[in-house]
Amino acid sequence: MAGGLTRAVRTVLAGLALLAASLGAEAQVQTGGRETIQIGLSTDKIGITSGFSGTDLTIFGAIENSDPQVSRTGRYDVIVVLEGPTRPVTVRRKDRIFGLWINRDSEHFDSVPSSYSISTTRPIQDITTETSYRQLALGSGNLAFNIGSSENPQIAEFATALRGIKEQTGLYTERIGGVRFLSQNLFRAAVAIPANVPVGTHRARAFLFRNGIFVDEVSAPLVIVKSGFEAAIYTSAKTQGLTYGVLSVMLAMLTGWLGRLLFRKD
Amino acid sequence: MSIYLPIAELSANMAVLLAMGAAVGFISGMFGVGGGFLITPLLIFYNIPPAVAVATGANQVVASSFSGSLVHLKRKTIDFKLGAMLLLGGFAGSLGGVFVFAKLRELGQLDLIVSLLYVVFLGTVGGLMLWESLGAIIRTKQGAPANLRRPGQHNWIHKLPMKMRFRASKLFVSVIPVLGLGAFIGFLASIMGVGGGFIMVPAMIYLLKVPTNVVIGTSLFQIMFVAAFTTIVHAMTNQTVDVVLAFLLMIGSVIGAQYGAKVGQRLRGEQLRALLAGLVLLVCLRLGIDLFLHPANIYSIAAVGGA
């Protein structure tokens, strides 16, 4: 993957350099044109193999039509988010019943991003306002499952707990300073992909802010799959339950028999 | 070295899993039990989701009980007819167990019930065994003759109808308690991920009065089939058998069992039983305490319709 990565980076960088050069000339002519943001992922597919223990995804991007005045004073901010596929989740709360801790109340959330990694140029509160974050549904506290629940205190409490567990297990992460400008309009972002990342189609999104005002957004898909041996096992377990079960039993018998052979030697 | 477990969906340390298997194998070799009652709680302590720990535990039991059955097959200490009858009940019980397992998981009470069952059964069996073995140790110290078994003494079980003759066990007993015991063990096997040897063996000795020399072989023989059946049914309905995890545990346990058996031969019967009882009670205590202590996080999340 390393070779593919450098190659991808080089392609992206070359493309961006050309882009930047042509746009730079253009920007001087029509100043005040609306800025846009572009991104390229270092890879569009990540395979999880037996040695997988998490990785970083590098995202390269550029600001087009950038105002040199603004970029020189560092008033452009970029937030990059990698959002996992949404899944329905049940949150349960334990209560003490006769001294035992037993699951009692539960709340159901229909679409919870299975993972959510956010990378920013600066501390989150310094980039833009709370209201603006909420409007953009940006940040783990502003995801749809939180918002819809604000009237009911119990649902809100469960939503907070859900977020807490996701953060604890490394699925929701925040990386301040994870986005760095390489030049006035080129930037590089690193977002964390944890070891327990769920498989499926993830979405990388980049948000551009100018002086704290949201300007543009762009997104690109990233597919995460189990690959090789793991993929075969996972797929057969999910689709060929009977065969998988029979093979598991046969493997167990074979191991037991081999153990017997070893044992007899003594 | 870490390895990704495809069904548990997490990375685990390979050395830890092998060591875990070896430790359980050592104990199962030493005491002649499948070790399922240790492997499932250990996996749960190691943060493997309980649903995966239970189904994978059943798969690991297949390996250890198959290996054990081979020995008894050679020694001709298996009562096949009795085993087959227990098995018949076992299949029915296992099927019911897997169904209840899926229901409990849906209700979010699986972890609780699994822990409770472990605490109740480990506590009862461990307590009884400790009591009995300590008594035996004290009696031998005092020079009294070892406890005499009185096979002529019959209990209420021997008054039930539908009697059947089991030649290898020299037994003429109703088929009802045999099927019932099989079903009960099968049910526990699928919910707890155990072979049930630690319940089956005392039940066969004390309730059915099966001669001790055929008890272990017959119990291992039937457990092997019940565990195999349970593994397959779990694979079909709950899809929670992690074959990578199971294989690592099996390798460890096969190696550990060799050394365990050697140590076991050097210890006396009642000492062995007292040790096993102590171990069983320790696991029981550890699981029991968790039920009463304030959990680190009172919230838990579960994906709907998945592991």
Side-chain angles (χ1 to χ4, degrees), chain B residues 143-176:
Chain B
N147 194 15
L148 289 172
R149 262 191 77 234
R150 280 158 293 181
Q153 202 179 50
H154 280 199
N155 52 21
W156 59 272
I157 281 183
H158 292 255
K159 296 196 184 93
L160 290 170
M162 291 169 71
K163 294 213 169 191
M164 196 180 244
R165 191 168 295 282
F166 299 102
R167 231 167 271 285
S169 306
K170 300 189 186 69
L171 212 64
F172 185 58
V173 72
S174 160
V175 75
I176 296 168

Side-chain angles (χ1 to χ4, degrees), chain A residues 50 90 92 94 103 157 244, chain B residues 4 108-109 241 298-300 302:
Chain A
S50 62
T90 303
R92 298 194 170 89
K94 285 194 172 74
N103 279 335
E157 187 190 328
Y244 178 86
Chain B
Y4 184 79
Q109 300 299 357
V241 179
I298 59 169
Y299 297 95
S300 61

Side-chain angles (χ1 to χ4, degrees), chain A residues 38-254:
Chain A
Q38 296 295 329
I39 53 168
L41 309 190
S42 55
T43 173
D44 56 5
K45 195 170 179 181
I46 290 182
I48 299 180
T49 55
S50 62
F52 186 76
S53 57
T55 180
D56 266 352
L57 174 73
T58 307
I59 297 172
F60 284 96
I63 304 167
E64 294 174 14
N65 276 346
S66 74
D67 183 336
Q69 200 86 42
V70 181
S71 40
R72 216 170 299 134
T73 46
R75 293 312 303 166
Y76 280 121
D77 277 303
V78 173
I79 297 181
V80 174
V81 169
L82 184 67
E83 199 180 311
T86 57
R87 286 179 188 172
V89 168
T90 303
V91 182
R92 298 194 170 89
R93 184 176 60 197
K94 285 194 172 74
D95 267 314
R96 194 161 211 170
I97 301 168
F98 303 116
L100 290 173
W101 287 92
I102 294 174
N103 279 335
R104 215 166 79 180
D105 292 339
S106 67
E107 288 297 342
H108 182 82
F109 298 96
D110 274 327
S111 56
V112 178
S114 44
S115 63
Y116 194 85
S117 305
I118 183 165
S119 259
T120 63
T121 41
R122 283 191 293 156
I124 290 181
Q125 66 273 18
D126 294 352
I127 294 177
T128 184
T129 58
E130 263 309 307
T131 328
S132 168
Y133 280 128
R134 213 167 307 139
Q135 281 164 355
L136 293 167
L138 189 54
S140 62
N142 295 319
L143 296 171
F145 74 87
N146 296 295
I147 298 299
S149 64
S150 47
E151 316 90 56
N152 184 330
Q154 164 150 330
I155 300 178
E157 187 190 328
F158 276 68
T160 312
L162 168 56
R163 229 162 55 228
I165 291 174
K166 289 283 196 184
E167 278 162 18
Q168 238 174 47
T169 48
L171 286 169
Y172 283 17
T173 56
E174 232 171 57
R175 194 178 283 181
I176 311 299
V179 183
R180 295 224 313 271
F181 277 98
L182 302 170
S183 74
Q184 282 190 357
N185 31 16
L186 280 180
F187 64 87
R188 182 177 67 189
V191 286
I193 297 180
N196 51 353
V197 68
V199 293
T201 304
H202 293 234
R203 197 154 59 112
R205 298 161 79 195
F207 297 82
L208 176 66
F209 297 86
R210 172 195 170 137
N211 286 319
I213 314 273
F214 169 70
V215 187
D216 192 27
E217 180 197 338
V218 66
S219 79
L222 170 74
V223 178
I224 296 185
V225 290
K226 296 188 195 216
S227 74
F229 181 56
E230 280 66 31
I233 289 181
Y234 182 81
T235 318
S236 71
K238 296 288 169 197
T239 56
Q240 309 260 302
L242 178 63
T243 323
Y244 178 86
V246 171
L247 285 178
S248 304
V249 166
M250 276 161 58
L251 177 72
M253 291 182 134
L254 186 73

